[in-house]
């Protein structure tokens, strides 16, 4: 029985999309027919998804995270598009392909999107893309090695850290000074200082330095 699979690929580099297309077309099963649409920015992807939702929904959607935002500023990334796709086409399979390999970003993407596939581009080979696609069609999810390593760290780590504390760690790791954290987090400076103190106690930071805190948090997979 022939299986027609409607696909949308979103990436701002046409040559990367061409590589994905060529790989899937060359490795598809004999009974699979792939119909592939492509988009290089949020506006085009938005238009294609809304049209598909009205006419024939996509079966699989591939999203890069960093792509040009929509003109109205409402869609700023592939993450936003993935969330929208789940509203428009809840039965479609969502695959994230990204260069981002920081554990904070990985954690947020899994929490916010719960994708059927999550592939880090630096892990990716043609054979893995082909394997991931076929696996996701039958038995999702499929995560590439960097994502799995992060998830394994998270499972075995006993330290529980909430989203705000995780964001504080991430911002500090990006060079944001403590005095500027209130611009990024909706808390008072005293609340942020209290959380930083708790984090240093959790990670057993004896010297009190932010640099040591960040180093320990990174070792344990929280950044």
């Amino acid at each position: 029985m022939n299986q027609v699979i409607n696909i949308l690929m979103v990436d701002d580099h046409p040559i990367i999309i061409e590589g994905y297309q060529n790989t899937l077309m060359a490795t598809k099963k004999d009974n699979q027919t792939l119909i592939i649409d492509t988009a290089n920015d949020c506006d085009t992807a938005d238009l294609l998804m809304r049209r598909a939702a009205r006419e024939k929904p996509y079966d699989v959607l591939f999203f890069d995270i960093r792509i040009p935002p929509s003109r109205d500023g409402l869609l700023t990334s592939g993450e936003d598009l993935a969330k929208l796709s789940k509203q428009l086409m809840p039965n479609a399979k969502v695959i994230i392909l990204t260069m981002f390999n920081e554990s904070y970003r990985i954690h947020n993407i899994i929490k916010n999107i719960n994708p059927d596939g999550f592939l880090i581009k630096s892990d990716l080979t043609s054979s893995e893309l082909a394997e991931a696609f076929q696996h996701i069609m039958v038995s999702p999810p499929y995560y590439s090695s960097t994502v799995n390593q992060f998830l394994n760290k998270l499972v075995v780590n006993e330290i529980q850290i909430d989203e705000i504390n995780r964001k504080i760690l991430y911002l500090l790791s990006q060079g944001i000074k403590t005095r500027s954290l209130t611009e990024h987090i909706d808390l008072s400076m005293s609340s942020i200082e209290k959380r930083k103190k708790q984090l240093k106690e959790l990670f057993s930071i004896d010297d009190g330095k932010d640099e040591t805190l960040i180093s320990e948090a990174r070792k344990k997979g929280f950044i």
Side-chain angles (χ1 to χ4, degrees), residues 42-53:
C42 283
D43 278 326
T44 307
D46 183 26
L47 188 71
L48 289 170
M49 287 196 301
R50 291 184 187 279
R51 186 180 71 189

Side-chain angles (χ1 to χ4, degrees), residues 15-195:
I15 195 165
I16 289 179
I17 286 184
E18 188 178 331
Y20 295 161
Q21 285 179 293
N22 290 343
T23 295
L24 294 189
M25 295 301 282
T27 58
K28 69 181 180 66
K29 293 180 179 177
D30 290 341
N31 69 329
Q32 290 177 331
T33 298
L34 308 185
I35 300 173
I36 303 175
D37 289 337
T38 65
N40 304 126
D41 55 58
C42 283
D43 278 326
T44 307
D46 183 26
L47 188 71
L48 289 170
M49 287 196 301
R50 291 184 187 279
R51 186 180 71 189
R54 290 192 306 269
E55 298 173 6
K56 183 161 181 49
Y58 290 114
D59 299 298
V60 184
L61 302 106
F62 290 81
F63 295 108
D64 185 17
I65 293 296
R66 182 178 285 162
I67 55 173
S70 59
R71 284 187 293 275
D72 61 13
L74 296 178
L75 298 167
T76 62
S77 66
E79 201 167 344
D80 289 343
L81 288 173
K83 290 178 193 171
L84 177 61
S85 76
K86 284 184 168 278
Q87 295 171 19
L88 295 173
M89 293 166 284
N91 295 322
K93 293 179 170 61
V94 171
I95 301 173
I96 301 295
L97 298 108
T98 181
M99 288 299 294
F100 289 121
N101 60 5
E102 298 159 318
S103 51
Y104 175 81
R105 290 305 297 267
I106 291 173
H107 171 85
N108 269 355
I109 289 167
I110 290 174
K111 183 174 181 230
N112 293 332
I113 299 171
N114 190 25
D116 299 283
F118 196 162
L119 308 170
I120 306 299
K121 288 182 179 179
S122 56
D123 295 339
L124 203 58
T125 62
S126 295
S127 60
E128 182 171 32
L129 178 61
E131 179 189 343
F133 178 72
Q134 296 299 338
H135 184 98
I136 290 161
M137 291 307 299
V138 177
S139 179
Y142 183 101
Y143 296 152
S144 66
S145 57
T146 297
V147 180
N148 277 322
Q149 284 168 18
F150 165 71
L151 291 175
N152 289 338
K153 277 185 186 176
L154 202 61
V155 169
V156 300
N157 204 302
E158 295 176 358
I159 297 175
Q160 298 300 312
I161 295 180
D162 67 17
E163 276 304 299
I164 294 174
N165 284 350
R166 195 180 287 275
K167 190 168 185 180
I168 288 171
L169 290 170
Y170 175 71
L171 291 168
L172 289 172
S173 77
Q174 297 301 299
I176 305 294
K177 302 297 184 187
T178 299
R179 63 177 177 272
S180 301
L181 289 176
T182 52
E183 297 170 20
H184 304 272
I185 299 171
D186 190 21
L187 287 177
S188 66
M189 183 52 66
S190 61
S191 295
I192 289 174
E193 290 285 8
K194 185 177 179 182
R195 281 174 173 271

